[in-house]
Amino acid sequence: QVQLVESGGGSVQAGGSLRLSCAASRADYSRLCMGWFRRAPGKEREGVATIDSYGTTNYAESVKGRFTISRDNTKTTLYLQMNSLTAEDTAMYYCAAAWGVCDLSSGFRYSYWGRGTQVTVSS
């Protein structure tokens, strides 16, 4: 089992920044594929960014150049630095973990999910 707890969400004006964190409970966290997903009101869940056990990252086109995913294996913590936020980034953001290959396009490979943290961007 892996327990994931997100933090760092909040309200910010367009153009601002936020840093999300996700604390994982598992000691062998470094072996996990980790990802950030989001769900905006009335929209499907979408992958935002993933990072595998080697540190290889992948981003949704909509966030490339603005968001940075990173992980600290010693702290078993995942991060998402979000810059130049727009109203379209408003959503509930979820941290997810999976064994094996990372998949940004689908959340179904991820066995473990946090409860989410809300990000609201006002224009």
Side-chain angles (χ1 to χ4, degrees), residues 33-108:
C33 161
M34 300 297 299
W36 288 100
F37 290 77
R38 68 186 180 186
R39 176 172 282 156
K43 294 187 177 180
E44 301 262 330
R45 181 180 62 195
E46 65 171 338
V48 176
T50 61
I51 183 167
D52 67 13
S53 60
Y54 299 100
T56 302
T57 59
N58 194 14
Y59 295 92
E61 286 296 324
S62 60
V63 306
K64 276 184 180 178
R66 300 188 299 122
F67 290 11
T68 302
I69 189 171
S70 62
R71 65 193 298 165
D72 185 334
N73 292 335
T74 61
K75 296 181 179 179
T76 65
T77 301
L78 178 73
Y79 302 100
L80 184 69
Q81 178 67 44
M82 305 186 295
N83 299 327
S84 302
L85 285 160
T86 72
E88 287 67 41
D89 296 315
T90 295
M92 184 71 81
Y93 283 72
Y94 298 91
C95 171
W99 297 108
V101 177
C102 281
D103 185 354
L104 183 63
S105 64
S106 171
F108 292 106

